[in-house]
Amino acid sequence: MTFSIIVVCLNAGDKLRDTIESILDQTEQDYEIIIKDGESEDETTQKYLNRYRQAKQEDTEYAVPGGRIRLYCSKDAGIYDAMNQAVQYVRGDYVLFLNCGDSFYDNKVLESVKEKILRGGKKSGQQTVQTSEKLRAPYIFYGNIYERLTDALVQSNPVIDDFACYRNIPCHQACFYAAELLRGKAFNTDYAVRADYEHFLWCYYKAHAKTVYIPITVAFYEGGGFSETRENEKRSRREHREIVHRYMPAAKVRKYQLIMAVTFAPLRSWVARNPFTAKAYQTIKRKLYKR
C-alpha cells in the first residue's frame, strides 16, 4: 500500500465528513484512511463516527474494499499526541496528515503524487514502491497548499536547505512522509505548536531524509486553528528559537536572524496573512521561486 491518510479529530462535526469525503473521492485507490478520534462527544461527530464503524461490517456507502477506513477512539493529550497514536496503525509506505476542515485540492492529488513517487524511484535506480521495495533514502515528497482564510495559493519552497529549514518549511498538510520517518521518531509533545516543525528538522538533519518538491497543490488548508491564536503565535516564536538551536550552529542562527530582520520578515508575514494582500504577495513569491 502506498498511502496512509491520517485524520485526527475531536468534536469536529461536519468538518470530519468533508475531509473524509475528499479522500474517498480520489481517483487513486491505493490508500487507507486512519481516523483517530479523541473520544468526541458532540452528536454530529458521533453520527459520522458511527457510519465509519458500521462501514467495517456492512455494505454501506463508506464500505470501501479492504476495510480502507479504520477508526480508533482513545483519549489523547492534544493533536500531536493523537498523531503519534495514529502512526502506530499505519500500513502504507507514505503518510499524510490531513486535519479535519482540510481537504484534498482535487480528486487527482494521490494519483499525481504516486506517479512522482514511482518516477523518483526509477530515477534513483532503486526499486519502486509499486514493487514493495524501499528506496535507500527516506523521502519526504511535498507540494503546495491553498489557504481558505486568505484565498491564496501558497507555494512551498522548491529547495529545502538550511535557510529554508530556518525560515519556512512546507505545511504538513502538503507533506507525504516515508512511514519509517514517523516510526523512527514521534512528534515531541513538549512543543504544543511547533512539534511538526521540530520533527521535519529531525527528518532533514538526523534521518537525512531526501526532500522532493512536487509542483502540485495538495490540499485546501482551513487555517485559523490552534497554532494561529495570538497567544500561540508568541509560543510559536519561542519554540522556534529553541528548536533551531537544537539543529543549527549558533553562528548560522544569528546569520539567519539578521537576514530576516533586514528583509522585514514580520511585515512580510503580516502581508502574507492579510486577505487583502495575500494573493499578490504569494504571486510575487511564486515568481521569485521560479527564477
Side-chain angles (χ1 to χ4, degrees), residues 118-126:
L118 297 180
R119 188 180 300 169
K122 291 173 184 175
K123 284 183 178 179
S124 71
Q126 305 300 315

Side-chain angles (χ1 to χ4, degrees), residues 246-272:
R246 291 184 62 182
Y247 291 96
M248 298 180 187
K252 187 167 287 188
V253 172
R254 289 194 295 271
K255 171 186 173 182
Y256 293 152
Q257 288 172 336
L258 177 61
I259 292 173
M260 297 294 279
V262 299
T263 58
F264 305 103
L267 175 62
R268 288 188 287 108
S269 294
W270 180 87
V271 171

Side-chain angles (χ1 to χ4, degrees), residues 140-203:
I140 302 173
F141 292 89
Y142 67 97
N144 310 317
I145 60 167
Y146 197 100
E147 286 186 339
R148 286 196 172 102
L149 274 181
T150 60
D151 191 28
L153 174 63
V154 181
Q155 181 177 323
S156 298
N157 193 330
V159 178
I160 301 298
D161 53 19
D162 285 344
F163 188 43
C165 285
Y166 179 88
R167 181 174 59 94
N168 188 23
I169 66 165
C171 179
H172 75 247
Q173 286 90 339
C175 292
F176 293 82
Y177 293 87
E180 64 196 89
L181 292 170
L182 297 164
R183 296 191 186 102
K185 182 185 183 301
F187 293 100
N188 186 341
T189 56
D190 290 339
Y191 297 115
V193 181
R194 288 273 192 166
D196 52 341
Y197 174 69
E198 189 273 336
H199 190 275
F200 190 97
L201 265 58
W202 176 86
C203 291

